[in-house]
Every structure is written in C-alpha cells, then in structure tokens.
Amino acid sequence: YNVAPMSEGLVVDMSSRIRLAEYADIKDHGIERCPDGSFLHIYSLSVMNDSARAARYSSDWDIVAEGWVEESVPERAHNDMPVICSEHLQGVAFTNHADMRPTFFEIGPDANVIDTHNLPIDAHISGGAFKYDAASDKFVVIANAEPGLAAYWLRRDLTLDRVVRFEPIPSLDRHFWPQGLMRVGDYWLLVFLGEAYGGMYLAGDGDVYIAALNNDFETVDTIKVSENIEGAI
C-alpha cells in the first residue's frame, strides 16, 4: 500500500510515492487524518478478513507505531472498516457476525488497543462512516438502512442520542456504502453508492453519488458522479 502526492490539477506523482506499513496478506484499508496532522491506518488481513492491524504515521507519513487490533478472530468482519481519529476518540469499529452489532476498538498512541466498546447501533456498519461533530459535540456514524441510510448520533460516552433515517435520493432503489462523510460549514457532504433500479449491477456496484445535506440530514443537492452500465465490467 502506498501514498503519493497529488497536484492541484489532480495529477498523482507516483515517482514520489511512500510505502506504508507492510504485512503478509493485507486486504482492506481505512486511513484517517488526526487533529495533530498525523494519520491512523487500519488494515485487514487474510482471505477470511479475521484479523486487523493498526499503524500510525507522522504528518510526513513516517511510520511511528504498529500493532495488532485483533488476530485470527473469525467472530467479526474486519473488512471495509469505519475509522475515526478525532480529538476525543481514535480507533476502528467492526461488525460482529452473531448479532450484526459493532464493537469499537480504541487505539492508543502505540497503535495497540487500549479499550473496547459495544456500540448501541443495530446495523452492519462495514462500509460506513464515523466522524466527530464539533458543532454538536457528538459522534455520528452513517450506516446502511433499508430503504435508505441511517445516521446514529452518539454522545461522548458512546451512548445513543438519536437515530436519523434518511434517503438522500428517494427515487433510488437502494442506497449503500456511505463511507465518505465531511462537514462543510452548516452542511454535510456524503459520498455513497446507489442503484437507480432493481437490476443487478456487476457485484452490486451501482453508481457513485454525492449528496449535500443539512444538519437534519435532509437533502439540499445531489450529484451523480459515475455512469455504470448494468452487468458491464
């Protein structure tokens, strides 16, 4: 896995790429910038995704620390992980197979687990987003929720404050994979996948959409980014 600089014209300079933490049989990755400019990296291992490791980097992508989150634990899905690196909470959440609820692993400065928390979320959060919202002093987790999505607002002690269910584009047959979330002023930008009709895209990929939402997660505007063809590669 590499990181490479990009110009203002969105040109990637692969000649200046930096190799990140390495381990055998790496699968999925989640990387978040922390408040001090450093980065937290979580990655899953093995075909079964039964393990995960953590790495911390400086703002210049020098490796600061590496450690295990879990090793050979088939009870949880370690792929497509929502990662958070905020002033108040840093770590990663994984979905438990038994009850489909998430466990949060708090990661310390040495990239090892310092605590675990069972989150009060009744949804599969793989492919979701996890952010701290300074305006409300709460955490927000975006997860799949048929027929649309759900925003789980958590207090600082990780108890549930409220759940907001929403459909950014009601005409879509399905919303899923809401992994990109960013606050911009009084609004939120959410990147997700959607299917416009009941057909089967290859591997259920759908199309990429961006929605601008207000504080109540009501849709202000949307953009369709991709134009995939059903069943096409």
Side-chain angles (χ1 to χ4, degrees):
Y1 211 57
N2 300 278
V3 61
M6 178 182 287
S7 71
E8 292 184 2
L10 304 183
V11 176
V12 178
D13 179 12
M14 289 303 292
S15 66
S16 300
R17 66 185 181 274
I18 299 171
R19 193 82 170 165
L20 298 184
E22 298 184 72
Y23 211 85
D25 206 14
I26 290 177
K27 299 302 179 187
D28 288 350
H29 300 262
I31 297 179
E32 284 290 322
R33 185 190 293 272
C34 306
D36 63 357
S38 64
F39 295 90
L40 175 62
H41 178 198
I42 308 293
Y43 53 94
S44 65
L45 306 170
S46 88
V47 174
M48 301 302 295
N49 282 303
D50 61 3
S51 305
R53 284 180 59 82
R56 287 189 178 273
Y57 309 98
S58 70
S59 58
D60 295 322
W61 296 101
D62 296 319
I63 297 177
V64 176
E66 297 181 70
W68 284 102
V69 182
E70 289 197 295
E71 185 177 7
S72 300
V73 181
E75 289 79 12
R76 275 178 283 281
H78 295 86
N79 56 303
D80 309 319
M81 61 290 287
V83 180
I84 185 172
C85 200
S86 70
E87 177 184 356
H88 308 292
L89 189 67
Q90 300 185 3
V92 59
F94 298 118
T95 301
N96 295 288
H97 293 306
D99 58 7
M100 300 304 288
R101 288 174 174 265
T103 297
F104 182 79
F105 294 80
E106 194 169 350
I107 305 299
D110 62 353
N112 284 297
V113 176
I114 58 175
D115 204 355
T116 59
H117 311 270
N118 293 321
L119 298 182
I121 296 174
D122 56 350
H124 192 309
I125 62 167
S126 296
F130 200 155
K131 298 290 183 182
Y132 170 68
D133 177 38
S136 63
D137 191 28
K138 293 182 176 67
F139 304 107
V140 59
V141 176
I142 308 295
N144 296 337
E146 296 297 338
L149 303 171
Y152 292 82
W153 290 91
L154 307 178
R155 303 178 186 92
R156 286 269 296 277
D157 63 358
L158 297 179
T159 57
L160 183 64
D161 177 66
R162 68 188 189 278
V163 181
V164 178
R165 301 186 183 277
F166 62 104
E167 292 183 76
I169 306 176
S171 62
L172 288 179
D173 187 69
R174 181 187 177 206
H175 299 71
F176 61 110
W177 224 274
Q179 200 156 26
L181 181 66
M182 176 187 298
R183 178 180 272 284
V184 181
D186 294 330
Y187 300 93
W188 293 92
L189 292 181
L190 177 67
V191 180
F192 60 95
L193 291 179
E195 291 181 355
Y197 53 89
M200 282 297 294
Y201 290 88
L202 183 66
D205 295 306
D207 282 291
V208 179
Y209 294 83
I210 298 177
L213 310 165
N214 63 19
N215 276 322
D216 296 319
F217 281 83
E218 298 169 329
T219 301
V220 176
D221 199 2
T222 62
I223 297 172
K224 186 179 183 182
V225 177
S226 67
E227 194 67 51
N228 292 324
I229 300 173
E230 181 186 5
I233 296 177

